[in-house]
Amino acid sequence: MFSYYLRLAFKSLRRNPILSALMVAAIALGIGSSMTTITVNYLMSADPIPEKSDQLYYVQVDSWDPNNPYDDESNDPPNQLTWTDATNLMRAKQAPAQTAMAKSGGIIEPVNQDDKPFEASIRLAFNDFFSMFNVPFLYGNAWSDVADDERQQVIVLTRAINDKVFGGENSVGRSMVMAGKTFRVVGVMDNWQPTPKFYDVNNGAFDEVEEVYMPFYLKEELELPNWGNTNCWKSPEGEGFKAFLQSECINFQMWVELPTQADKADYLAFLDNYAQEQKALGRFPRPLNNRLSNVMEWMENQQVVADDARMMMWLSFMFLAVCLLNTIGLLLAKFTGKSAEIGLRRAVGASKGDLFAQHLVETGLIGVLGGLFGLGLALLGLEGIKSLYGNFVDNLASLDITLVIVGLLLALVSSIAAGLYPTWRACNIAPSSQLKSQ
Amino acid sequence: MLVMNDIKKVFRTDLVETHALRDFNLQVDEGDFVAVTGPSGSGKTTFLNIAGLLETFEGGQYLLDGQDVSQLNDKARSQLRNEKIGFIFQSFNLIPDLDLFDNVDVPLRYRGFNAAERKRRIESALEMVGLANRMKHLPAQLSGGQQQRVAIARALAGEPRFLLADEPTGNLDTKMAHSVMELLKEINQAGTTIVMVTHDPSLARDAKRNIYVRDGKVSELHSVGQELPDAANA
Amino acid sequence: MLEIGPIFRALMRNKVGAVLIAIQIAITMTIIVNSVFMIVERNEKMQRQSGLDEANTFHISSVGFGEGFNPRSTVEADLAQLRALPGVVDAIQINALPISGGGWSMGLQTEPGAEHDGTGVAVYMVDEHGINALDVEVIAGENFAPSDIRWRASRSPTWPNKVILTKAMVEKLFPDSPWADAVGKTVYINDNDPMIISGIIDKLQAPWVGWDNVENAMLSPERMEFTATRYLIRTQPGQRDRLMPEVEEMLASSNKQRVIRGMRTVEEDRERSYRGDSAMIKILTTVMVILTIVTALGIVGLASFSVNRRRKQIGTRRALGASQGAILRYFMLENFLISSVGVVLGAGLTIGLNILLVNTFEMNPMNWYYIPIGMLVLWLVGQVAVYGPARRAAGIAPATATRTV
Ligand SMILES: Nc1ncnc2c1ncn2[C@@H]1O[C@H](COP(=O)(O)OP(=O)(O)O)[C@@H](O)[C@H]1O
Ligand SMILES: [Mg+2]
């Protein structure tokens, strides 16, 4: 029976080709625009590390100005840490795994004298960084605890930098000059690009990961520059790098891994305790306001999903609504036009259910066609977004299989929903009404 | 007065040319009641359409009230239809979305009467066909005979000089048909000229004058058996 | 008009189709009017001037490395070379660039002390050539003298004792007195460090185009002894593109102890900074156009259907004396009625969505006149869309009335 209905549906679509095209196009446009914005929003709000996003916590302590909260509206604590707090918390080692970090950069002088020196971004971190965030390695490993403590000049490279400097060879054990110092390569990462780049969203939530990784304390040792946001509520006391590190300026981030809720509670208690200690030393003038946010909470708090993207998604849903209303109207007109045929089918013995099924197949067919074209349009739309916004959205504008299925389902469900009322109306045409003239 | 001299009408489709009317001649006098009979496809409806200015024609001359209508534009033809001619259709042609009041109102709107005048005319027209009490009903809520009465009321509300009816009883049973015929006779009595196409010889016999159409021509013109005295004098 | 009553009553018997179109028009209006409003807002934002001679200005970064790198002599040599280059109007060392997206901000206050709130201001460190290179005008007071310029060491917490402010910044700091009177007054940076206002300039934007205080900027008379630094070069009209590769090559070859990178025109900065806005404008425009087409086609489709369904009725009307014009008017009027319901509903929805956007996305409330204009436009769209089917309806032969089915 299904194939009979399908044949009827095709026939019916061919009978009013323009009208059918209009309906398919309406659904395709609605689905296309919705899928485009859903994709962008879905990827922006995706869980970048689903296997442990609820065990990784971003650390915030309130070290801010006694006269002004860090954020007037939300009363959130500062979104980064001072050097003092980052190093104190790291030394306390109260979590099973933890890493403070910062963004920096420096000039790489390639081994090959012919290659030009170039600038590269640096992530200063502790060795737990790699295990906490499941960073894949192509060659070698993370550096050791000792390297962290002794401030050894060791580095981990991204695959791209290893390709650039060492031609893609296994460079573990070789040395490389950066920021005027010689480093020993201990590891080369495989391709890795969490989206969003959750571990440091306030320096570009969808930026590329840094190119070179080295022990955190080298910041002090080598006086590496601050990249990324630096925010101070009072100026450093005195000149020079030391004064900056000892200041109340925030430029550092910290993540801890806390497998259980008990661990989290313990760590929070530790932070509160730490804040009290600092108060005794004359710091932390504000009321106690420390916070641990897991990955998704942190993304939410930092509003990683751009307002424009959310706004576009709302608009595109409204767009879809218009397209569906359009389809309902056209289906209604179409099915009303078929009332003679429906009356006849009823007269020769088709039940309401039969007719309902027949017309539902017809609307379903329109929906599937619209969905397929809509997916095509979504691909086009995503290309458009890429060309409008530039490279930074490359990671945000690609359809995966889940999205394709979501798109087709959305098209099918919405078109059938759109067809429900017209179908119901059509099936309720009394067979006798057709016999009365007019 | 309605005069047709040598009217020709050809329908052209991709495949064939149909000469629906050829040299059609007829004169209908003021106050007449003409019944038109003839086989199916002979051109009766075509004649009525031309008479009612629903269709144009290719050759010949048509004078309506002494006015040559062949040169008139659509607007003037519409206005003539509206003011001088009332139509009754086989399938009633009531507008299903409008109630009886609004249906009868349709031609009056195009006439440009004011609201009070329209209301007066609609009520008296419906009164006349005996449906004044169903003014707010929809066509679908009436029987066929009642629907046709509404259509007649609609045709009469504008007080036309001519009433053209194309098989007005074709969709009605005999009893209904006769009651509609009685109504038409009353209307004719009141002074309206009527031209009615019909299949039914018994109804045709009730008219003052019969014409027979065959192959697009008035092939035979015969008076009805019992001629009325005044028709004989005409 | 002619026959609103019966048209309306006939519509009420076919509510669903009419209601569908009305809702469609309402939502379309909601989207379109809000989109137009956003487009206008963003366009206004994009039209703001940075104050620079944008078409003839570019910048380039120099990052020193190696033990022997001397920032101070490098800057001095670079500036001398750049300023001597034919076609260059002026060149300066600067810490950050207007509308480029990255820079420094500080707070300035009129009273010393941590308990007072400061007003946010973008900091530009320039020497006495800054006025000329940035193409700004001193409208009160005077430019820095060469003797005012100091060298800033890396991570120095201190500030020079003179400052030049934009007029907008002065007006924020001293809202109660004429802006020109501010020359000679003292403002405080870092809560307590005094700076005397030595001049006021007409206009210079901050690096962050989305910042509320984008018109607040200050010039601080200093050169920087930093290993990583930037130069801003203003050229004579039409010379920029010729000079860019020349400058890059010149700086790269004059000193091997550094990397020259990040050469960009201010126009590129503008393009990057406003990319989101310009993308949004393009997307919204596309959405508007497509949506209008979809709605219009929907109206055409439904109207065509309703004309077809009513062929007999139309013939009958014609037979009863309706002229072609009357039939045309009937359908136009019918659409007008539906549109009217739609745009009234749309006006409400438009305001509702705007309120929602204001609350959720901190957008501005819409000006009232967008609503009537939007209503008018959608009325027109409806009328244009229905004109075709209405024309076809008017063309239906009166004789259709006598055709038996
Ligand atoms: N619109 C038309 N197009 C083509 N042929 C037509 C059209 N209307 C009528 N005819 C033809 O003209 C002839 C007369 O038709 P009609 O006047 O309707 O006949 P009657 O009403 O006497 O049955 C028929 O052969 C019919 O097929
Ligand atoms: Mg006929």
Side-chain angles (χ1 to χ4, degrees):
Chain A
M1 214 51 188
F2 179 78
S3 63
Y4 174 62
Y5 290 150
L6 202 60
R7 213 170 64 235
L8 287 178
F10 268 113
K11 271 211 171 106
S12 168
L13 289 192
R14 270 207 303 273
R15 194 152 48 226
N16 313 70
I18 294 182
L19 190 81
S20 309
L22 213 60
M23 288 191 281
V24 170
I27 291 190
L29 284 169
I31 295 295
S33 68
S34 301
M35 282 313 296
T36 308
T37 56
I38 287 174
T39 304
V40 171
N41 278 269
Y42 164 83
L43 292 173
M44 274 190 164
S45 56
D47 186 341
I49 179 161
E51 58 280 17
K52 59 201 292 193
S53 60
D54 52 350
Q55 294 175 30
L56 298 172
Y57 291 89
Y58 190 78
V59 178
Q60 286 169 282
V61 295
D62 198 342
S63 58
W64 213 242
D65 186 351
N67 297 309
N68 286 306
Y70 173 76
D71 185 332
D72 292 323
E73 275 161 35
S74 64
N75 199 33
D76 280 349
N79 63 352
Q80 297 188 102
L81 300 177
T82 62
W83 172 262
T84 312
D85 295 322
T87 49
N88 284 344
L89 295 177
M90 282 309 297
R91 264 186 222 106
K93 268 204 188 316
Q94 291 294 308
Q98 56 229 305
T99 178
M101 53 188 172
K103 189 168 179 168
S104 186
I107 303 289
I108 293 177
E109 297 169 55
V111 205
N112 185 346
Q113 293 294 325
D114 295 340
D115 292 344
K116 275 195 178 165
F118 63 95
E119 195 172 45
S121 55
I122 298 172
R123 174 128 312 251
L124 293 152
F126 287 82
N127 62 351
D128 283 352
F129 177 93
F130 303 98
S131 53
M132 282 170 74
F133 301 149
N134 292 343
V135 179
F137 274 87
L138 187 62
Y139 305 121
N141 277 308
W143 55 79
S144 64
D145 289 344
V146 181
D148 268 328
D149 293 338
E150 293 182 354
R151 310 182 174 199
Q152 289 174 7
Q153 292 179 4
V154 290
I155 47 175
V156 169
L157 304 178
T158 55
R159 193 171 176 165
I161 286 292
N162 188 56
D163 286 350
K164 190 163 174 181
V165 177
F166 296 104
E169 288 169 30
N170 183 349
S171 59
V172 172
R174 296 180 62 177
S175 45
M176 189 181 97
V177 178
M178 186 169 196
K181 300 285 185 292
T182 304
F183 290 83
R184 181 168 50 85
V185 179
V186 294
V188 175
M189 288 162 42
D190 205 345
N191 295 328
W192 182 60
Q193 178 62 57
T195 307
K197 187 185 155 195
F198 65 97
Y199 62 81
D200 187 11
V201 288
N202 48 59
N203 289 317
F206 302 100
D207 281 4
E208 309 256 299
V209 297
E210 290 76 10
E211 298 166 300
V212 175
Y213 298 76
M214 60 178 71
F216 184 77
Y217 290 126
L218 292 177
K219 169 92 182 168
E220 185 177 31
E221 199 74 15
L222 307 180
E223 303 204 350
L224 292 170
N226 304 339
W227 280 26
N229 279 319
T230 309
N231 208 336
C232 314
W233 61 270
K234 73 177 183 194
S235 281
E237 287 162 15
E239 303 254 339
F241 200 83
K242 277 260 143 31
F244 167 76
L245 289 186
Q246 280 155 15
S247 75
E248 294 296 344
C249 295
I250 54 174
N251 179 243
F252 305 92
Q253 308 90 39
M254 181 165 173
W255 287 89
V256 291
E257 185 169 338
L258 303 168
T260 67
Q261 284 302 307
D263 293 336
K264 183 189 173 189
D266 288 350
Y267 201 83
L268 210 50
F270 157 71
L271 286 180
D272 288 347
N273 194 29
Y274 170 76
Q276 296 296 358
E277 276 171 40
Q278 293 297 310
K279 277 178 187 289
L281 294 171
R283 294 184 67 227
F284 284 54
R286 299 193 61 76
L288 215 56
N289 185 13
N290 305 320
R291 193 174 297 177
L292 291 173
S293 316
N294 69 26
V295 174
M296 293 318 278
E297 287 165 353
W298 185 235
M299 301 295 100
E300 174 77 29
N301 178 275
Q302 292 295 291
Q303 300 183 347
V304 162
V305 182
D307 277 358
D308 278 3
R310 279 170 46 202
M311 199 142 62
M312 290 312 313
M313 189 161 76
W314 290 14
L315 287 184
S316 68
F317 284 152
M318 289 174 72
F319 189 114
L320 179 63
V322 171
C323 295
L324 288 181
L325 286 171
N326 211 311
T327 311
I328 296 178
L330 296 176
L331 280 175
L332 206 55
K334 175 161 194 170
F335 289 171
T336 313
K338 277 172 71 177
S339 50
E341 182 200 319
I342 293 168
L344 178 79
R345 285 183 186 277
R346 292 279 277 138
V348 300
S351 72
K352 271 190 193 180
D354 292 333
L355 287 165
F356 201 81
Q358 180 195 332
H359 290 93
L360 226 48
V361 169
E362 186 169 336
T363 54
L365 179 66
I366 293 171
V368 168
L369 287 176
L372 287 174
F373 283 113
L375 282 177
L377 287 178
L379 286 175
L380 224 76
L382 290 172
E383 282 311 309
I385 287 201
K386 274 187 207 169
S387 78
L388 286 176
Y389 283 94
N391 301 335
F392 106 94
V393 295
D394 274 3
N395 298 322
L396 295 176
S398 53
L399 277 177
D400 62 19
I401 186 71
T402 329
L403 285 167
V404 170
I405 291 169
V406 166
L408 282 176
L409 275 179
L410 187 65
L412 195 64
V413 167
S414 50
S415 70
I416 286 182
L420 231 43
Y421 177 72
T423 308
W424 177 80
R425 270 260 298 241
C427 300
N428 275 290
I429 290 171
S432 63
S433 77
Q434 284 314 117
L435 306 176
K436 209 167 185 173
S437 53
Q438 261 284 331
Chain B
M1 254 230 325
L2 183 156
V3 181
M4 287 185 172
N5 292 323
D6 295 338
I7 296 286
K8 293 181 188 59
K9 176 73 187 179
V10 185
F11 288 108
R12 289 190 179 81
T13 59
D14 298 343
L15 298 173
V16 286
E17 277 189 4
T18 313
H19 292 262
L21 296 182
R22 25 189 136 202
D23 299 331
F24 192 93
N25 290 294
L26 182 70
Q27 176 165 346
V28 178
D29 295 327
E30 193 82 54
D32 218 341
F33 188 155
V34 181
V36 182
T37 51
S40 183
S42 58
K44 306 183 294 294
T45 298
T46 308
F47 150 66
L48 212 59
N49 283 349
I50 291 174
L53 305 179
L54 297 183
E55 222 147 30
T56 53
F57 50 91
E58 270 100 50
Q61 192 189 34
Y62 173 25
L63 301 174
L64 182 65
D65 263 353
Q67 185 185 11
D68 187 340
V69 299
S70 57
Q71 296 308 314
L72 296 177
N73 67 12
D74 181 78
K75 201 172 165 73
R77 294 162 66 87
S78 299
Q79 196 182 343
L80 270 185
R81 275 203 299 273
N82 188 237
E83 288 173 5
K84 294 200 170 164
I85 298 166
F87 264 106
I88 304 171
F89 308 95
Q90 177 176 358
S91 48
F92 326 140
N93 290 17
L94 295 178
I95 295 171
D97 297 331
L98 297 178
D99 62 22
L100 303 194
F101 185 95
D102 281 337
N103 260 293
V104 178
D105 192 27
V106 169
L108 303 181
R109 290 275 176 167
Y110 301 121
R111 192 74 159 268
F113 289 133
N114 66 30
E117 173 70 8
R118 292 202 317 264
K119 187 162 170 350
R120 190 188 65 70
R121 280 166 179 261
I122 296 164
E123 281 169 358
S124 80
L126 283 171
E127 192 82 52
M128 190 180 153
V129 300
L131 287 166
N133 54 340
R134 319 228 9 202
M135 223 127 59
K136 292 291 156 206
H137 286 218
L138 290 175
Q141 294 164 322
L142 302 184
S143 74
Q146 287 169 321
Q147 289 193 31
Q148 193 59 301
R149 282 161 181 277
V150 177
I152 294 170
R154 180 174 67 185
L156 289 178
E159 293 175 1
R161 300 267 310 285
F162 301 96
L163 194 58
L164 306 181
D166 191 359
E167 309 204 17
T169 57
N171 282 356
L172 301 177
D173 61 37
T174 327
K175 193 164 150 250
M176 289 273 198
H178 277 98
S179 92
V180 165
M181 190 60 198
E182 286 311 309
L183 190 55
L184 289 178
K185 280 202 281 192
E186 265 172 50
I187 292 160
N188 177 243
Q189 220 82 64
T192 310
T193 311
I194 299 180
V195 179
M196 176 181 78
V197 170
T198 182
H199 261 107
D200 187 339
S202 74
L203 291 180
R205 236 173 281 126
D206 275 3
K208 290 180 184 169
R209 186 175 156 205
N210 276 9
I211 62 168
Y212 187 75
V213 179
R214 170 181 285 163
D215 282 344
K217 275 187 179 161
V218 180
S219 74
E220 199 175 330
L221 190 67
H222 68 98
S223 300
V224 193
Q226 20 138 233
E227 267 183 13
L228 296 167
D230 53 336
N233 297 345
Chain C
M1 245 181 87
L2 184 62
E3 40 187 1
I4 287 187
I7 293 181
F8 184 72
R9 287 194 287 279
L11 269 180
M12 291 315 283
R13 308 218 182 280
N14 261 314
K15 271 196 263 333
V16 183
V19 166
L20 285 174
I21 292 201
I23 298 178
Q24 215 172 309
I25 288 179
I27 302 182
T28 304
M29 170 170 163
T30 307
I31 299 181
I32 287 187
V33 174
N34 275 287
S35 300
V36 168
F37 176 65
M38 281 190 254
I39 289 174
V40 169
E41 288 247 298
R42 292 194 184 224
N43 202 41
E44 271 169 14
K45 184 178 163 200
M46 289 178 68
Q47 292 308 318
R48 297 175 314 191
Q49 297 296 309
S50 64
L52 301 179
D53 180 9
E54 291 191 18
N56 302 305
T57 306
F58 68 99
H59 53 90
I60 190 162
S61 298
S62 152
V63 187
F65 62 91
E67 301 295 334
F69 183 76
N70 182 337
R72 196 187 281 212
S73 63
T74 306
V75 169
E76 277 173 343
D78 286 348
L79 285 178
Q81 261 191 313
L82 286 169
R83 287 170 185 168
L85 213 60
V88 169
V89 172
D90 215 334
I92 50 169
Q93 182 196 24
I94 194 164
N95 62 317
L97 288 138
I99 68 169
S100 67
W104 286 23
S105 80
M106 291 295 294
L108 291 184
Q109 57 202 61
T110 52
E111 307 271 343
E115 67 277 18
H116 296 290
D117 274 357
T119 304
V121 65
V123 178
Y124 296 116
M125 298 168 185
V126 298
D127 62 16
E128 75 280 6
H129 292 260
I131 299 294
N132 191 26
L134 294 168
D135 189 29
V136 292
E137 196 186 335
V138 182
I139 52 176
E142 54 191 19
N143 189 8
F144 302 128
S147 57
D148 294 331
I149 313 299
R150 67 161 202 174
W151 281 100
R152 169 181 281 268
S154 188
R155 301 178 194 288
S156 163
T158 66
W159 291 87
N161 52 19
K162 280 193 179 176
V163 68
I164 291 178
L165 299 178
T166 57
K167 181 170 160 231
M169 180 65 189
V170 167
E171 284 170 341
K172 281 236 181 86
L173 285 170
F174 304 102
D176 302 324
S177 53
W179 56 269
D181 292 359
V183 176
K185 286 187 179 161
T186 304
V187 291
Y188 298 87
I189 195 163
N190 260 343
D191 296 339
N192 292 310
D193 300 347
M195 294 180 103
I196 297 167
I197 301 174
S198 68
I200 298 174
I201 51 173
D202 53 346
K203 178 176 185 73
L204 187 61
Q205 282 194 329
W208 314 277
V209 296
W211 196 33
D212 291 342
N213 296 329
V214 68
E215 302 295 342
N216 294 2
M218 65 176 254
L219 303 183
S220 177
E222 42 195 341
R223 287 183 180 168
M224 294 143 278
E225 246 187 304
F226 302 170
T227 50
T229 191
R230 268 200 196 95
Y231 301 110
L232 174 141
I233 297 123
R234 179 180 170 206
T235 71
Q236 278 158 4
Q239 302 288 304
R240 185 193 68 192
D241 295 345
R242 176 182 68 78
L243 279 165
M244 283 175 72
E246 236 172 87
V247 164
E248 188 174 30
E249 172 57 28
M250 186 183 83
L251 292 179
S253 56
S254 69
N255 187 338
K256 297 285 186 200
Q257 292 272 292
R258 55 130 169 243
V259 172
I260 292 295
R261 56 170 210 90
M263 183 168 71
R264 263 211 300 279
T265 64
V266 174
E267 285 174 341
E268 285 172 82
D269 285 339
R270 167 173 289 278
E271 198 275 319
R272 281 169 180 243
S273 287
Y274 288 108
R275 184 174 285 166
D277 295 306
S278 92
M280 195 74 172
I281 287 179
K282 285 176 192 148
I283 293 173
L284 288 175
T285 312
T286 315
V287 165
M288 267 168 46
V289 171
I290 296 180
L291 191 58
T292 311
I293 294 175
V294 167
T295 303
L297 287 182
I299 293 174
V300 172
L302 276 188
S304 301
F305 244 95
S306 110
V307 167
N308 278 344
R309 197 161 51 87
R310 289 190 275 186
R311 288 186 76 79
K312 188 94 178 188
Q313 181 186 140
I314 294 162
T316 307
R317 282 174 186 278
R318 293 278 282 132
L320 296 174
S323 61
Q324 293 195 323
I327 300 294
L328 188 75
R329 269 199 306 283
Y330 182 97
F331 282 93
M332 303 290 276
L333 201 61
E334 186 184 72
N335 174 269
F336 183 82
L337 286 178
I338 299 174
S339 299
S340 298
V341 175
V343 295
V344 168
L345 194 67
L349 282 179
T350 305
I351 297 169
L353 178 64
N354 184 243
I355 291 174
L356 201 68
L357 291 175
V358 168
N359 290 337
T360 323
F361 299 115
E362 287 155 22
M363 259 177 49
N364 291 323
M366 180 183 295
N367 296 321
W368 66 270
Y369 52 76
Y370 279 84
I371 306 278
I373 295 177
M375 292 170 83
L376 207 68
V377 167
L378 274 130
W379 256 315
L380 273 179
V381 168
Q383 293 286 290
V384 170
V386 86
Y387 184 72
R391 270 288 298 278
R392 251 181 296 130
I396 289 175
T400 311
T402 50
R403 294 273 130 70
T404 10
V405 190

